[in-house]
Amino acid sequence: MSKRTIIANIIGVIVVVLLIALGGYFYIQNKNYVKTDDAVVSADMMGVVAPTSGILTNWDVKDGKNVSNKDVVGKVSDGKREIPVDAKMDGKIIKNEARKNQMVQAGQELAKEADLDHMYIIANIEETDLKDIEVGDSVDITVDGDDDTTFDGTVEEIGYATNSVFSVLPSNSTGNYTKVTQKVPVKISINQASDKVLPGMNAEIKISL
């Protein structure tokens, strides 16, 4: 047997071993984990709204300001009295949409606050994978804004309907039907998120089954 043949055989064996190892890896991954990059960082949010129409006075709000539930952050004068504007939850102002002394309307959103201390991930999981997921499953999370860090998480809630149920698109009435795999939102807590993690950022998750 020539040297060239021996080398070719060795290379062939190595390739076969690598393919077997790779196949085993993907089998284990698919058997023990559910992964998706169709996920986004979320947080509970609430608007700070004008209680009545009038002039906004004493407006003490800026982006990044920490507020507590029922904190008075401004007042609206209707010409007869000043009515306080208060925060509706503990959180941080993430968007200020008003300025002192501007005219506002009753119910107008003046700012948006978010609970950044308890952020979570909303992952859209394919219906075919949903049967393997349970509340309490551990999750590895990476976020595009801090992709050098893997965060620990836990499955908190599994949605009760697919995303398509809430779609505003009309149903197909032509009779030409193509089956599409549906996705269900799954809420995942994110433990000790860094300051680099912000609501709206893309994420990837791996749920341990």
Side-chain angles (χ1 to χ4, degrees):
M1 184 180 293
S2 67
K3 184 177 181 180
R4 180 177 296 179
T5 301
I6 294 173
I7 294 175
N9 288 339
I10 293 173
I11 293 174
V13 170
I14 293 173
V15 169
V16 170
V17 170
L18 288 175
L19 289 174
I20 292 173
L22 191 61
Y25 171 79
F26 283 113
Y27 173 79
I28 293 172
Q29 292 292 310
N30 291 332
K31 187 72 174 177
N32 298 320
Y33 304 100
V34 170
K35 300 179 181 179
T36 184
D37 59 2
D38 186 1
V40 66
V41 180
S42 299
D44 289 339
M45 299 184 187
M46 194 167 289
V48 179
V49 300
T52 188
S53 299
I55 301 297
L56 182 64
T57 62
N58 303 319
W59 185 239
D60 183 26
V61 169
K62 60 182 180 180
D63 290 349
K65 177 182 176 67
N66 291 316
V67 293
S68 298
N69 184 30
K70 297 184 179 180
D71 277 355
V72 175
V73 295
K75 295 181 179 180
V76 176
S77 173
D78 62 3
K80 299 179 181 179
R81 55 179 180 165
E82 287 191 328
I83 301 175
V85 180
D86 55 10
K88 303 301 181 184
M89 62 183 290
D90 296 342
K92 185 185 292 288
I93 300 296
I94 60 172
K95 188 176 184 181
N96 175 26
E97 301 186 88
R99 296 292 181 270
K100 184 178 178 179
N101 295 326
Q102 79 174 66
M103 176 67 72
V104 298
Q105 302 298 317
Q108 178 181 339
E109 185 170 279
L110 307 177
K112 179 77 75 176
E113 54 178 317
D115 182 2
L116 301 187
D117 291 331
H118 303 93
M119 287 186 289
Y120 51 88
I121 305 294
I122 296 297
N124 296 304
I125 304 298
E126 292 186 352
E127 57 186 336
T128 51
D129 292 328
L130 202 64
K131 64 183 183 298
D132 299 320
I133 298 173
E134 296 179 350
V135 171
D137 286 345
S138 61
V139 186
D140 291 334
I141 303 166
T142 55
V143 178
D144 286 2
D146 192 5
D147 55 6
D148 291 331
T149 305
T150 299
F151 301 99
D152 295 327
T154 304
V155 174
E156 296 287 340
E157 297 176 12
I158 299 172
Y160 291 95
T162 66
N163 291 331
S164 63
V165 170
F166 308 103
S167 173
V168 298
L169 296 177
S171 60
N172 185 349
S173 60
T174 64
N176 298 322
Y177 175 73
T178 301
K179 184 177 181 179
V180 177
T181 300
Q182 301 297 314
K183 294 186 176 183
V184 176
V186 173
K187 181 179 179 180
I188 300 166
S189 65
I190 178 170
N191 300 329
Q192 298 180 332
S194 69
D195 293 338
K196 298 178 183 178
V197 177
L198 301 173
M201 286 185 170
N202 293 316
E204 296 183 15
I205 60 98
K206 182 171 74 171
I207 302 174
S208 299
L209 304 178

